[in-house]
Amino acid sequence: MTALPPGTVIGILGGGQLGRMLAAAASQLGFDVHVFCPEADAPAARVAMKHWQADYTDDAALSGFARACSVVTLEFENIPVSTVEAIAATGTPLHPGAKSLAVSQDRADEKAFLNGIGISTADYRVIAAEADIAPALAALGGKGVLKTRRDGYDGKGQAWLKGEADIAAGWESVGRAPSVLEAAIAFDREISVIVARSSTGETASWAPPRNVHDNGILAQSVVPSGLDRAIEIEARRQAVALVDALGHVGVLALEFFVMADGSLIANEFAPRVHNSGHWTPEACQTGQFEQHIRAIAGWKLGDTHRLFDAEMINLIGEAGHVDPAGLAANETLTLYGKREARAGRKMGHITRRLDPRKD
Ligand SMILES: Nc1ncnc2c1ncn2[C@@H]1O[C@H](COP(=O)(O)OP(=O)(O)O)[C@@H](O)[C@H]1O
Ligand SMILES: [Mg+2]
């Protein structure tokens, strides 16, 4: 693919905050943006040149949207296969492609794929029916996390099982959906690697942040992670191996559990820009949103060196009502333009730039 010139149209599937920040980055590079999502008044649609408001199963609308764009990308991975096919039928490239989407949409396929390319995950069992759970739980040491194979996010679709007594309620709480049972991992900390691969096969990753979750929702990301450099290098190597194996185009985030002995256990990956990369625009030469646009447009990737230590704080629910007058000089506020603050809803984030530092 030749590099797309500024002025061409980039299409984004999905209207949330990730789409909004992608649209802003695309605009900065001189592209026009069309957003496709069913919701009226969506955060991304409000900063785009055009909003195609239709359902993801509306093939005629998808086809019109894709024909209007030089490349289509997405801000969430759970788009139906039929949507991918409707876009493919127009000949407009979709980045990331079907492989990255299919693998990341299903936790069982995802783990099998990761293991298949030599990336360790938590031990797991596939659960098709309630009767599968007790033997799986016993095999995994009597404790585990039941997760729906599809559609989970922010800790939704998950139930901790601390013993056989939790099975019935856990199975009910995941909606009796096809699931995986994962071994409980007593990790020392969590990190993620944000990596980009361009349509020319070039790759670049950022220094991995340490991530702190609260109730399954990311609360904070901090760089540096505090880990030994060798562990960070290995995590980045695995993330590059993953995007290469997928033939992925765009940004991808690979989440890890880090054990006390420094060993890495991959948790999951998202084939898109990621909340744990929200500090990159302020702390690095090139941020994840700009990089994603560069990657899908066939541009040379930007430099990912980190220029500052930084921490990113998510503003969740009522915390989204920030008084801008209260911000410190080293804090950058990003708000997503959501009309209503609800419990557990990501409303914005603050990035705090700390010491200058290059790595
Ligand atoms: N097997 C596990 N052992 C220990 N903690 C886990 C396990 N799986 C998930 N968690 C915790 O829950 C968080 C969210 O789980 P994750 O699988 O990443 O789902 P989501 O798609 O909601 O991000 C993780 O970041 C981690 O803190
Ligand atoms: Mg996660």
Side-chain angles (χ1 to χ4, degrees):
M1 173 178 151
T2 51
L4 288 181
T8 51
V9 178
I10 290 181
I12 300 173
L13 290 164
Q17 67 268 18
L18 300 178
R20 183 179 173 103
M21 292 182 273
L22 284 170
S27 301
Q28 188 178 1
L29 295 179
F31 294 104
D32 290 334
V33 173
H34 289 195
V35 165
F36 189 107
C37 70
E39 300 85 11
D41 201 38
R46 301 211 309 279
V47 301
M49 180 188 183
K50 181 163 173 150
H51 178 197
W52 295 74
Q53 192 186 343
D55 197 82
Y56 295 114
T57 54
D58 183 338
D59 286 355
L62 282 167
S63 174
F65 160 74
R67 284 180 208 284
C69 299
S70 293
V71 62
V72 172
T73 187
L74 45 100
E75 62 132 36
F76 74 114
E77 59 274 34
N78 291 320
I79 60 169
V81 174
S82 65
T83 308
V84 175
E85 286 168 352
I87 290 166
T90 66
T92 301
L94 174 68
H95 294 316
K99 178 91 183 163
S100 297
L101 296 174
V103 174
S104 63
Q105 282 178 358
D106 183 310
R107 290 189 192 274
D109 294 350
E110 182 180 36
K111 284 186 173 51
F113 189 86
L114 289 167
N115 294 163
I117 59 169
I119 296 178
S120 304
T121 63
D123 196 3
Y124 70 101
R125 297 289 184 278
V126 175
I127 304 296
E130 185 172 357
D132 297 338
I133 303 177
L137 197 60
L140 298 174
K143 268 199 315 191
V145 194
L146 189 63
K147 301 181 181 179
T148 57
R149 288 176 67 158
R150 294 182 164 271
D151 294 330
Y153 70 99
D154 284 350
K156 296 184 174 67
Q158 300 190 9
W160 272 85
L161 306 183
K162 302 231 160 88
E164 288 215 3
D166 293 341
I167 291 178
W171 179 239
E172 213 50 59
S173 82
V174 301
R176 312 173 73 87
S179 295
V180 294
L181 183 68
E182 274 179 39
I185 304 297
F187 54 80
D188 177 51
R189 61 189 71 181
E190 291 183 270
I191 62 167
S192 56
V193 175
I194 320 296
V195 59
R197 183 172 178 279
S198 80
S199 57
T200 63
E202 185 189 6
T203 57
S205 67
W206 285 264
R210 176 179 185 179
N211 302 320
V212 180
H213 293 85
D214 187 5
N215 256 322
I217 306 182
L218 183 68
Q220 192 190 19
S221 293
V222 183
V223 279
S225 69
L227 293 173
D228 285 348
R229 209 170 158 74
I231 301 171
E232 292 197 350
I233 289 170
E234 172 58 16
R236 292 170 76 164
R237 187 194 67 73
Q238 292 187 17
V240 169
L242 173 60
V243 288
D244 280 341
L246 290 168
H248 183 78
V249 174
V251 164
L252 176 149
L254 177 57
E255 299 178 2
F256 290 99
F257 303 124
V258 188
M259 307 307 286
D261 66 2
S263 58
L264 292 165
I265 296 177
N267 172 24
E268 61 168 353
F269 72 86
R272 53 167 167 77
V273 287
H274 195 253
N275 196 165
S276 68
H278 284 4
W279 53 277
T280 55
E282 284 85 31
C284 300
Q285 180 61 36
T286 308
Q288 64 168 348
F289 305 102
E290 174 182 344
Q291 194 78 301
H292 183 79
I293 299 299
R294 284 171 172 258
I296 65 167
W299 289 23
K300 188 172 160 22
L301 294 180
D303 186 296
T304 53
H305 280 107
R306 189 165 69 78
L307 307 173
F308 293 91
D309 289 354
E311 58 188 26
M312 188 283 311
I313 314 288
N314 263 347
L315 302 173
I316 294 170
E318 291 303 322
H321 297 297
V322 176
D323 176 4
L327 291 173
N330 63 340
E331 292 178 336
T332 303
L333 174 65
T334 304
L335 292 175
Y336 306 151
K338 295 184 183 173
R339 303 290 190 202
E340 241 185 296
R342 287 198 293 270
R345 192 174 202 203
K346 292 173 178 170
M347 302 300 292
H349 64 270
I350 288 174
T351 300
R352 204 169 280 149
R353 269 207 306 221
L354 305 168
D355 293 341
R357 153 105 170 233
K358 200 165 188 333
D359 72 3

